[in-house]
Amino acid sequence: MEAMSSITARSLTRASPIRVRLSRALISSQQSRAQPQWRSRRSFQISTKLWREVQATDKSGSKIYPSADEAVADLKSGSIVLSAGFGLCGTAETLLTAMHRRGPQSLNDLTAVSNNAGTAIGGGLSPLVESGQVSRAICSFLGNNKSLEKKYLSGEIAIELTPQGTLAEKLRCGGAGIPAFFTPTGVNTYIQTGQIPARLKSGEVIEPGKPRETRIFDGRVHNMETAIKGDVAVLRAWKVDEYGNCKFRYTTKSFAPLMAKAAKIAIVEAENIVKAGEITPDEIDLPGIFIDRIVQATENKIIEIKTVKDPNKDPEAEAKENPALQRRNRIAKRASKELKPGMYVNLGVGMPTLAADFLPANSNVWLQSENGIMGMGPYPTADELDADIINAGKETVTLVTGAATFDSSDSFGMIRGGHIDVSMLGALQVGANGDLANYMIPGKVFKGMGGAMDLVSNPDATKIVILTDHVDKSGRPKIVQNCSLPLTGAKVVSTIITDLCVFQVDRKKGGLTLTELAPGVEVEEIKQKTGAKFEVSESLKEMEQ
């Protein structure tokens, strides 16, 4: 079919300076001509005419392109590319592969905007990063992508690390014509001060981060963030009709609608291209007005972390011969006691996820995953495995009856808006005043904060519970008087659960109170292994199991 031409418009082709002449006119008062009143009246004289060129575009042609190669053939080097997906769930593998086929001689110096700029196992943006076609990435999480981390540390690629919820909102605003917004996310962190370098070389900062302007609203400091708009967005959808109306499956919609709306040209690869009307109006997740080009998806989906459960597996029995797992289970089991019926809860990646294993059947606790699930269920059996249903750790999961899926803007609106009752996260360090550091060790670990900064952005409405080993692998305390690592959030933590004890945190005054001890643990051991002062509760008890 005939390919639809891209939209081109130039608002101003030439603009000369405007000279403004102000004049004052004497306007007499009708009530008293003897007492004239002077009023300012501005008149404008423009020295030259302004020209505006508008090139009309015929939109009546088909949006369907014969191939992905033809759909990306006119992409220009230096473009801002918005790549939808979360990890490898919902990524436009067909379109990204076609972009990679063009090679660095034809297509290069790209700025890639995506939650993850590739992965440790390939797929997504990985081929474009490896080939050197991407020179800058705006993302929230590197994870275990050592190749990308190496390119960043060697100066081959610039990275603008952006909290996940902020990234979603920057895109939403870009598509909605809102140039900037204020958010509590990242306040009192390196995001606010601009201390995360965008580009390094031989250990030296050659491009610093950008500090944020701040303002106070409702007594709280907020960072100003600017919108993101792209030249092209690439996304994948389950069904797309001939007009571009899109239907997504489950967690594949995380960033897709946001990116399509924020781009000059949005290209969707469809698993199924259908006739108009086959997707009913109330089933459409993204209206066709936001889609410019459609291609048939030909690349297979990739599951980043295939996680299945053994229905006969007993986590308690499995831990008997594994001390590390015993510690983790002890922490997770105690953490599950924080979750009450009817609560809406976010469980962070890693140890917090285990807390769900110890909830009683029919607990009526709603688990949220920030990539777009409310009502997350356990890991699937082999028969239940679905590449389109993953959690924030990119693991395959299931959905409980009554679950809902949504895009990342809605997800982080729930989080920042205080609609989540409890959020559980891991930690590298926790301060006695409730400070949290869990995403970066300068010079050693550069994983990215993902959604963590957003998850702790409203601690007055959402209780923040930390699950962590009491000491690190070298035996150093993880609970300290003052955090030495870059903060994820300041004065945000309310409860700390470790393998040895439970601390309650006074976020307002600053200070720890020891309230529970694990079986066989004495207060003296806690003093030896804690790098902060603490009070001992008069009602100190054994850790709940």
Side-chain angles (χ1 to χ4, degrees), residues 6 99 191 341 423 495 529:
S6 61
M99 291 168 63
I191 291 294
S423 181
T495 300
K529 295 181 177 179

Side-chain angles (χ1 to χ4, degrees), residues 476-519:
R476 292 176 298 229
K478 298 183 75 172
I479 301 168
V480 295
Q481 193 65 36
N482 297 291
C483 290
S484 58
L485 298 176
L487 295 186
T488 305
K491 298 182 179 180
V492 296
V493 177
S494 293
T495 300
I496 307 169
I497 302 172
T498 80
D499 52 315
L500 301 180
C501 69
V502 177
F503 284 115
Q504 301 300 332
V505 185
D506 187 332
R507 294 176 40 245
K508 303 299 182 184
K509 298 179 181 178
L512 301 173
T513 300
L514 178 66
T515 57
E516 299 176 36
L517 287 172

Side-chain angles (χ1 to χ4, degrees), residues 367-401:
L367 301 182
Q368 193 239 20
S369 187
E370 63 257 34
N371 60 308
I373 297 175
M374 179 60 75
M376 181 174 63
Y379 296 131
T381 63
D383 293 337
E384 295 172 323
L385 192 70
D386 191 321
D388 293 339
I389 307 176
I390 65 166
N391 65 11
K394 287 81 175 181
E395 301 171 306
T396 48
V397 291
T398 58
L399 304 176
V400 302
T401 302

